[in-house]
Amino acid sequence: MLEVIDASFSYERMDVFKNINFRVNEGEIFCIVGPNGCGKTTLLDCLLGILRLKRGEILLNKRNIKTTSPGETAKQLAYVPQLHEKTFPYSVIDIVLMGRAAHIGLFSAPSSRDVAVAEEALELVGLTSFKDRPYTQLSGGEAQLVLLARALAQKTKMIIMDEPTAHLDFKNELTVLETIVQLVSKTGLSIIMATHFPNHAFYFENNSIDISVALMSRMTFSAVGSPSEILSEDNLKSIYSINAKVVSHRMDNDSELRQIIPISTVA
Amino acid sequence: MATRKKVFYILLILSPLAFIFLSLFVGRYPLSISSIVNILICKITANPCNLPDQYNSIVWEIRMPRAILGALVGGALAISGASFQGLFRNPLVSSGLLGVSSGAGFGAALAILLFSSTSYTYVFAFFFGGLAVLASYLIGRTYNTTPAIMLVLGGVIVSSVFSALISFAKYVADPYNQLPTIVYWLMGSLATARYHDIVIGGIPMAAGISGLIAIRWRINVLSMGDKEARSLGIDTVVNKGIVIACATLATAGAVCVSGIIGWVGLVMPHIGRMLVGNDNKVLIPASLSLGACFLIFVDNLGRLITGSEIPLGILTALVGGPFFVYLLKKTKGGGW
């Protein structure tokens, strides 16, 4: 579905990343993990067509993203931002309806069909009863789910998420993760996400989702593969400069949930 | 729900018409209600009236064009203000944000200095109003994008340059003749409104207003910020350009026939937000209607209170301020 070939990007004279290659298939989660400032968000902006690569190509369904209009891109690729600054107290349904923008003409407003799609998306994230609540009064977790619903209303087969659980408490974090698992296993959605929590990758692996992890450091992907093989104590030490333990917990259903426990910084 | 919506839209259209109609009965010249009704009936049925011609022209040549122009100007300022608030993701901006008012003010002052005929005032005000916005836009344009903060900065710079130029024009103006004209123009008035004003200002205003009404839902999406709006499938440069062009046409059209009337473009959208919420699909037409009603109301008040008319720019703030506070307290701001 999405293929990135030898991608490089730089601002003026400062290189951000180079020689990145990967592909994401249908029904797969692709997790990009790496320290602050390693260029995760910049890479996502390139995938979305907001920034242009310096070199290399991004093919979305075999078509170069450079020559695809914002409207065309938005029909194939949706985006869930990090929690953003809220300005106007739009109602929740108004926010979700914005996901229909690519399907609505320049001088038109959402039709009753668009409203139906938006309501369906709200139902998928379990927030039907929030429809008429002001968006500004939601908690962080609820707002994140509303943004996810907005992306679902775009009716794309792929969603890009930038730190979907940043600033969320345990319960909200798990709600978001469970919703993602539901969507991926039920609808065959593909998800590309940048995250500061490598443990999420283990969570998805444990829920038998098709998942790859890419470790991003020193301006490129230093390793790509399944969470169990990539998220090793050695790799964590090398990209984050920390000593960490990877422990494993036997779950009730006899599966093993691995988790990373950060211990100390490397002197 | 569907019927409620219909009632709402009918109300939006009918209220300004009602205000226009009622304002025919308001003025310094004492005309009885029955004679005004007679005049109206005569016109509609195309029968000659047995009332003095003077009466007829007070109703049809003075009060009517003034009310229509008031509705257009108030509506144009309010709808542009509402659009800019959404576009710039800032509830504190008004239609003058990108310098259209100060540009137009300078244009008018320049025309008053250079020519004795007032017809140049329109042209100069409109031209310099548009020029100011274009300058702000070009300053705010970096690479191929138009980030809101850069546009605002451009607007601030251009506004202050034109404000300085207005002061300069006042400084060099003849203090007995030109200076009062400039000052009075800058305070805004509908006192000299005739049908030709409606034609001159009405064309750009109608064009701008229709454009904004057509694109109104997209302002919701634009208010999410450039990055999100683009990822939602919107070409932000094109869409912002259309909104700015339409709002500028509407505001410049209004300013060139009425002078600078503040407050309407900032506060009417807010009153709209309190009454109908923040969805621009509803808010934009509501602001149009509210602005139209408000300006007719204030204009009528202005010509009733004193024999020498109080300029509109003064009254809009004096009347609008307390009303705004009242609504703010009553609706608790509506979700801010």
Side-chain angles (χ1 to χ4, degrees):
Chain A
M1 281 194 79
L2 184 99
E3 200 173 0
V4 176
I5 304 160
D6 201 28
S8 305
F9 182 85
S10 56
Y11 284 113
E12 302 286 305
R13 257 168 286 161
M14 196 186 68
D15 286 340
V16 179
F17 58 78
K18 47 190 172 190
N19 310 326
I20 285 186
N21 291 283
F22 66 97
R23 58 180 302 151
V24 181
N25 301 314
E26 208 163 310
E28 185 185 6
I29 296 185
F30 190 84
C31 246
I32 303 169
V33 174
N36 286 125
C38 72
K40 296 188 294 289
T41 300
T42 310
L43 175 60
L44 295 189
D45 284 352
C46 290
L47 298 183
L48 286 164
I50 291 166
L51 295 174
R52 290 266 174 99
L53 289 179
K54 210 86 253 125
R55 256 197 342 271
E57 277 175 4
I58 296 169
L59 302 178
L60 180 58
N61 293 322
K62 304 212 164 90
R63 196 162 150 204
N64 199 320
I65 199 109
K66 242 191 290 183
T67 56
T68 317
S69 71
E72 279 307 309
T73 309
K75 283 180 190 164
Q76 303 170 60
L77 189 62
Y79 170 62
V80 179
Q82 275 189 54
L83 272 190
H84 57 187
E85 191 194 333
K86 299 164 191 154
T87 43
F88 298 102
Y90 291 115
S91 68
V92 165
I93 190 77
D94 286 338
I95 295 277
V96 180
L97 270 172
M98 292 180 199
R100 301 300 297 158
H103 303 264
I104 293 170
L106 179 59
F107 294 120
S108 323
S111 65
S112 52
R113 212 195 89 76
D114 293 311
V115 176
V117 173
E119 284 173 348
E120 196 183 305
L122 261 185
E123 200 183 325
L124 279 173
V125 300
L127 288 183
T128 305
S129 59
F130 283 63
K131 198 177 140 190
D132 296 316
R133 292 261 294 271
Y135 173 64
T136 38
Q137 291 172 4
L138 301 184
S139 75
E142 291 158 355
Q144 197 66 51
L145 288 175
V146 169
L147 293 178
L148 177 57
R150 185 181 74 182
L152 292 174
Q154 270 177 257
K155 289 273 175 199
T156 58
K157 292 198 167 150
M158 182 174 271
I159 296 183
I160 290 185
M161 299 183 178
D162 194 1
E163 317 244 4
T165 63
H167 317 297
L168 299 189
D169 66 20
F170 284 129
K171 182 173 180 213
N172 281 317
E173 178 181 350
L174 281 170
T175 310
V176 171
L177 293 179
E178 281 168 9
T179 311
I180 292 174
V181 167
Q182 284 275 320
L183 290 169
V184 171
S185 52
K186 264 194 202 157
T187 62
L189 195 71
S190 313
I191 290 177
I192 299 175
M193 64 193 245
T195 180
H196 279 303
F197 304 98
N199 282 335
H200 290 168
F202 285 131
Y203 178 90
F204 293 129
E205 188 178 46
N206 185 253
N207 279 279
S208 40
I209 300 279
D210 190 0
I211 174 165
S212 304
V213 179
L215 292 185
M216 194 167 180
S217 71
R218 288 174 211 98
M219 294 199 281
T220 192
F221 283 177
S222 50
V224 183
S226 76
S228 306
E229 61 180 308
I230 298 297
L231 296 172
S232 65
E233 290 167 6
D234 287 345
N235 277 342
L236 290 166
K237 188 175 202 167
S238 128
I239 71 158
Y240 286 110
S241 306
I242 56 162
N243 294 308
K245 283 277 167 225
V246 178
V247 299
S248 145
H249 168 72
R250 188 161 296 277
M251 310 276 278
D252 291 341
N253 63 1
D254 236 26
S255 64
E256 266 189 25
L257 178 63
R258 287 171 189 245
Q259 291 284 284
I260 298 162
I261 304 179
I263 307 283
S264 64
T265 55
V266 174
Chain B
M1 187 67 197
T3 44
R4 254 188 69 193
K5 244 189 218 167
K6 258 183 216 157
V7 170
F8 170 72
Y9 279 107
I10 289 170
L11 211 66
L12 283 190
I13 296 167
L14 282 188
S15 333
L17 294 181
F19 271 82
I20 291 175
F21 178 73
L22 289 176
S23 73
L24 298 179
F25 296 87
V26 178
R28 295 302 290 183
Y29 195 93
L31 281 179
S32 68
I33 292 178
S34 63
S35 49
I36 293 172
V37 172
N38 258 335
I39 288 167
L40 292 175
I41 291 172
C42 293
K43 187 82 169 186
I44 293 161
T45 56
N47 285 328
C49 260
N50 46 5
L51 287 164
D53 270 358
Q54 198 189 358
Y55 287 17
N56 193 45
S57 71
I58 285 176
V59 173
W60 285 107
E61 304 300 324
I62 294 175
R63 290 183 185 174
M64 183 63 109
R66 185 165 177 168
I68 294 176
L69 196 69
L72 272 171
V73 168
L77 293 175
I79 200 174
S80 314
S83 308
F84 271 8
Q85 289 176 1
L87 189 69
F88 292 103
R89 317 172 64 191
N90 186 340
L92 297 178
V93 308
S94 75
S95 40
L97 179 76
L98 295 182
V100 62
S101 307
S102 38
F106 170 70
L110 190 66
I112 292 166
L113 287 184
L114 296 179
F115 314 100
S116 52
S117 150
T118 52
S119 50
Y120 290 102
T121 318
Y122 299 116
V123 182
F124 272 58
F126 189 82
F127 174 76
F128 278 96
L131 189 73
V133 174
L134 186 68
S136 306
Y137 187 82
L138 292 177
I139 293 172
R141 199 179 158 99
T142 55
Y143 302 106
N144 272 322
T145 63
T146 45
I149 188 77
M150 293 285 286
L151 286 172
V152 173
L153 208 56
V156 169
I157 295 165
V158 170
S159 294
S160 46
V161 167
F162 277 111
S163 296
L165 287 174
I166 290 175
S167 298
F168 185 71
K170 285 184 190 165
Y171 178 71
V172 299
D174 159 24
Y176 299 103
N177 204 344
Q178 295 168 330
L179 186 58
T181 316
I182 294 177
V183 170
Y184 194 69
W185 192 93
L186 289 175
M187 289 191 291
S189 172
L190 295 170
T192 56
R194 296 294 177 270
Y195 285 110
H196 70 91
D197 295 298
I198 298 177
V199 176
I200 294 170
I203 293 169
M205 280 192 271
I209 289 171
S210 333
L212 290 174
I213 287 193
I215 204 170
R216 66 192 192 278
W217 183 74
R218 293 241 160 167
I219 296 173
N220 279 0
V221 187
L222 285 171
S223 77
M224 292 284 106
D226 276 9
K227 185 168 161 179
E228 282 182 48
R230 205 198 130 108
S231 76
L232 289 166
I234 279 194
D235 188 327
T236 50
V237 175
V238 172
N239 281 264
K240 272 188 189 175
I242 295 176
V243 174
I244 291 175
C246 290
T248 303
L249 271 179
T251 313
V255 175
C256 82
V257 289
S258 70
I260 295 174
I261 299 172
W263 191 254
V264 179
L266 170 68
V267 169
M268 286 306 120
H270 274 285
I271 293 176
R273 287 177 204 286
M274 293 178 209
L275 297 175
V276 304
N278 286 278
D279 180 4
N280 283 295
K281 187 181 159 192
V282 190
L283 176 66
I284 292 284
S287 300
L288 175 70
S289 180
L290 282 168
C293 297
F294 177 74
L295 203 62
I296 297 174
F297 174 75
V298 172
D299 185 44
N300 283 330
L301 209 62
R303 57 194 214 225
L304 273 185
I305 295 175
T306 60
S308 62
E309 300 202 6
I310 303 176
L312 266 178
I314 298 172
L315 266 185
T316 45
L318 289 182
V319 176
F323 181 54
F324 186 57
V325 173
Y326 162 75
L327 266 179
L328 200 61
K329 291 292 172 196
K330 200 170 173 210
T331 63
K332 312 246 181 313
W336 289 105

